[in-house]
Amino acid sequence: MTGAQALVQALELVGADTVFGLPGGTILPTYDPLYDSEAVRHILVRHEQGAGHAAQGYAMVTGKVGVCMATSGPGATNLVTAIADAYMDSVPIVAITGQVNSAAIGTDAFQEADIRGITMPITKHNFLVTKPEDIPHAIAAAFHLAATGRPGPVLVDISKDAQQAEAEFVWPEQLDLPGYRPVTQPHAKQIREAVKLIEAAHRPVLYVGGGVTKSRAYDELADLVELTGIPVVTTLTARGALPDSHPLNFGMPGMHGTVPAVGALQRSDLLISLGARFDDRVTGNLDSFAPDAKVIHADIDPAEISKNRYADVPIVGDVGEVMRQLHTALAGAELQDLKPWQERLQSMAERYPTGWEPPVDDVLSPQQVISRIGEIAGPDAYFAAGVGQHQMWAAHFLPHERPGHWLNSGGAGTMGYCVPAAMGAKVGQPDAVVWGIDGDGCFQMTNQELTTCALEGIPIKIAVINNQSLGMVRQWQTLFYDGRYSNTDLKTNMVPNFPKLAEAMGCVGLRATHPDEVDEVINQAMAINDRPVVVEFVVHKDAMVWPMVAAGTSNDAIKIARDMAPDWEDEIL
């Protein structure tokens, strides 16, 4: 068969049922046999970045590898943002790109770009395939690499002549991947050392990161919390890994984290890091982060351990298996009395709740709008968020009760993530309600994928939180640049008219400008399931995200509102 036929056959054999893509000259040979495939659905996006984020959303909600496809040159480079995003957040996707004929590689041929070189730092691995007989192994290896160990993106770049030439199709019975042997089983000695620290700790904290979400180790986490009574904080990418309603879940730590979550880390004497990487948005100034805490750091990627914070007990392995073995080892252990520590954090949560001040003059509160969306949609809905203020409000005020129901761009902070990610999530979970919480700035970057949704029968619901500005940047300008709003005012005056724009793309467009209209438009959106819905909420432009730790400062400098901080003297045990 031709290399193109081999590529489609390989996709079917690895179980890929959906490809998000956009054809062009160098990938065109593959699109011909793809046309005949009954096992693989191709969804024609309007921009390759949308294909990449949609593959991420699909992967996040299904646990499978997401697939995106593009042509060479600008088609491939348009995937780079999504590939980088997937790399930062450890999302398993395979990006397949066409490349110019092998004889023309390196000659600056039409639509040539060294996409392998470009993506080398932001992929787990990438392949350049110039022979048709190498295609089956490359695809099998790419899917294996993307899904195992620490998940992430893999790129397969295939020259046009390799797609057109013929070769015998040979499916690899065994993958030959020298040097790739991810460790999943933790070392027993390290488990024993971790148990010793846990037994001695009076103020331990389970610092839960996105690795728990990627390994789907939710039951293991719940069991460990139930056994030990250790308080929990969940990072932005781990929201929902333990239900927010759990009495020992103190929320999200970090720059815009809750006071008890930040306080728990700062006052801890033992951090048990599970699939987290001590990101700067969590730690603030590293020199002052959790100064009295010893660290147990469990991660499947050994490169993350002690990268930012020294680990007293490093544990390399799958975080689910680590928690299972810790649970077994701690079952008969005698832990310290953690009740005083639990009560102190619960008291902190009661005294410093994360809330908002309602605006005056009947202007919509963005926090209340997002909260009502969560309450009306319910915890079974899937929620994707863009990046900025609305992302932080969504992280705090949506009902994070179900694991794996929260999608957002954590490490890269990619504006434009929301709409295509929601699209991918809806394709992966077609019977579920999928809401996107987007900002007016983010929405204008990738909203063209609503056309894809309308034509492909993907009825997502998008809330556009319209504060007529680039809100998070504006907040920083308010706080740190004396209110000099340089190029953050979008000066919309209802331009574009988001409901009309939605209707032009085949969606239903709704708008709310008054508090009395909020529930009405949300319920209208919930009742429409035959096409996408866009609901614009015109909100107060000066609403701010609190709490906040200024970049580069100590977490101890957290503010609960402007010029207001907790009295940490009362929190010292």
Side-chain angles (χ1 to χ4, degrees):
M1 60 177 67
T2 66
Q5 290 170 326
L7 173 55
V8 175
Q9 179 76 16
L11 288 173
E12 293 176 350
L13 287 172
V14 295
D17 56 23
T18 305
V19 173
F20 301 91
L22 187 69
T26 63
I27 197 66
L28 203 56
T30 291
Y31 270 81
D32 188 62
L34 186 60
Y35 185 75
D36 297 321
S37 177
E38 296 181 358
V40 181
R41 175 190 182 187
H42 181 273
I43 294 176
L44 176 60
V45 299
R46 268 52 190 172
H47 190 285
E48 291 89 354
Q49 182 181 348
H53 292 319
Q56 288 181 271
Y58 174 91
M60 290 284 287
V61 303
T62 64
K64 299 171 66 175
V65 176
V67 187
C68 53
M69 188 179 290
T71 193
S72 61
T77 59
N78 279 344
L79 285 175
V80 168
T81 296
I83 292 171
D85 194 287
Y87 186 74
M88 289 288 280
D89 284 354
S90 305
V91 180
I93 67 170
V94 168
I96 300 169
T97 53
Q99 185 54 274
V100 299
N101 286 332
S102 55
I105 292 175
T107 68
D108 292 333
F110 176 68
Q111 289 194 336
E112 181 189 359
D114 179 12
I115 194 61
R116 190 179 186 215
I118 290 168
T119 60
M120 189 71 76
I122 54 170
T123 52
K124 278 190 74 175
H125 192 69
N126 55 32
F127 299 85
L128 172 61
V129 182
T130 57
K131 298 177 181 178
E133 59 267 28
D134 294 339
I135 289 174
H137 183 274
I139 294 299
F143 275 74
H144 178 72
L145 288 165
T148 56
R150 179 178 181 173
V154 178
L155 178 113
V156 183
D157 193 34
I158 309 175
S159 66
K160 186 173 183 178
D161 55 321
Q163 297 170 59
Q164 293 171 319
E166 292 188 351
E168 181 183 356
F169 182 90
V170 179
W171 188 245
E173 296 296 326
Q174 187 172 344
L175 290 173
D176 182 21
L177 299 172
Y180 183 69
R181 298 180 183 84
V183 175
T184 58
Q185 291 293 321
H187 196 288
K189 178 178 181 295
Q190 300 306 94
I191 295 292
R192 291 194 297 270
E193 292 300 313
V195 168
K196 290 178 184 176
L197 289 186
I198 294 171
E199 286 180 319
H202 292 85
R203 303 187 304 279
V205 176
L206 290 168
Y207 163 32
V208 175
V212 172
T213 302
K214 299 304 179 298
S215 68
R216 297 179 177 255
Y218 313 122
D219 291 340
E220 292 84 350
L221 175 61
D223 290 344
L224 188 61
V225 175
E226 190 66 29
L227 174 69
T228 63
I230 297 176
V232 177
V233 299
T234 55
T235 67
L236 178 64
T237 54
R239 303 293 288 122
L242 187 74
D244 276 358
S245 57
H246 194 289
L248 290 178
N249 186 348
F250 291 96
M252 181 176 75
M255 173 176 277
H256 291 295
T258 69
V259 171
V262 172
L265 294 178
Q266 290 301 99
R267 299 294 177 258
S268 172
D269 63 2
L270 177 64
L271 296 184
I272 306 164
S273 175
L274 301 169
R277 56 190 181 87
F278 293 86
D279 175 74
D280 63 288
R281 282 300 193 258
V282 169
T283 66
N285 183 297
L286 260 175
D287 293 339
S288 61
F289 174 69
D292 300 324
K294 292 189 174 181
V295 172
I296 299 168
H297 192 168
D299 203 292
I300 200 162
D301 184 356
E304 288 296 346
I305 295 177
S306 293
K307 183 176 80 174
N308 294 325
R309 172 68 180 256
Y310 173 77
D312 297 275
V313 177
I315 306 177
V316 178
D318 177 80
V319 71
E321 187 59 35
V322 170
M323 287 191 284
R324 280 190 288 272
Q325 294 195 23
L326 282 176
H327 187 279
T328 299
L330 288 166
E334 293 199 13
L335 304 183
Q336 302 296 323
D337 180 11
L338 300 184
K339 193 171 182 181
W341 175 231
Q342 295 169 352
E343 290 177 346
R344 180 57 60 94
L345 294 179
Q346 286 160 355
S347 172
M348 206 183 300
E350 291 168 5
R351 283 183 290 121
Y352 302 110
T354 304
W356 65 87
E357 290 291 329
V360 295
D361 300 327
D362 289 331
V363 179
L364 292 184
S365 157
Q367 301 98 319
Q368 187 169 15
V369 165
I370 292 169
S371 179
R372 289 301 294 152
I373 291 171
E375 289 164 0
I376 293 172
D380 290 329
Y382 287 82
F383 299 98
V387 168
Q389 288 180 314
H390 61 280
Q391 176 191 27
M392 296 296 104
W393 291 321
H396 283 301
F397 302 123
L398 288 176
H400 298 290
E401 295 294 312
R402 304 284 187 271
H405 282 232
W406 164 243
L407 298 80
N408 80 124
S409 171
T414 303
M415 293 178 70
Y417 171 91
C418 175
V419 172
M423 174 173 70
K426 184 65 174 176
V427 172
Q429 296 290 346
D431 297 327
V433 173
V434 177
W435 272 92
I437 311 295
D438 218 356
D440 50 321
C442 290
F443 182 72
Q444 292 184 72
M445 294 189 172
T446 53
N447 62 44
Q448 67 270 21
E449 298 310 332
L450 286 168
T451 302
T452 307
C453 293
L455 296 177
E456 292 281 350
I458 307 170
I460 60 175
K461 308 175 196 303
I462 302 294
V464 179
I465 310 300
N466 185 1
N467 62 1
Q468 303 177 59
S469 68
L470 301 174
M472 186 62 86
V473 185
R474 178 186 169 87
Q475 175 168 333
W476 282 46
Q477 288 173 332
T478 300
L479 297 175
F480 309 121
Y481 293 89
D482 299 321
R484 290 165 54 83
Y485 300 118
S486 174
N487 292 285
T488 49
D489 186 351
L490 294 176
K491 302 176 181 176
T492 61
N493 295 318
M494 300 306 175
V495 178
N497 184 314
F498 290 124
K500 286 186 177 181
L501 178 61
E503 291 168 7
M505 290 188 285
C507 309
V508 175
L510 304 170
R511 174 185 288 149
T513 61
H514 189 277
D516 292 343
E517 300 169 336
V518 171
D519 283 16
E520 179 185 348
V521 294
I522 296 172
N523 284 313
Q524 277 184 263
M526 290 292 294
I528 298 169
N529 294 301
D530 61 344
R531 56 202 146 147
V533 184
V534 174
V535 188
E536 177 191 18
F537 296 93
V538 182
V539 302
H540 199 286
K541 68 163 51 179
D542 288 319
M544 290 194 184
V545 179
W546 300 106
M548 180 178 181
V549 178
T553 65
S554 169
N555 280 351
D556 287 331
I558 188 172
K559 297 288 193 298
I560 55 176
R562 193 167 184 177
D563 301 323
M564 294 180 62
D567 186 353
W568 286 122
E569 294 299 320
D570 292 342
E571 312 306 334
I572 298 174
L573 293 176

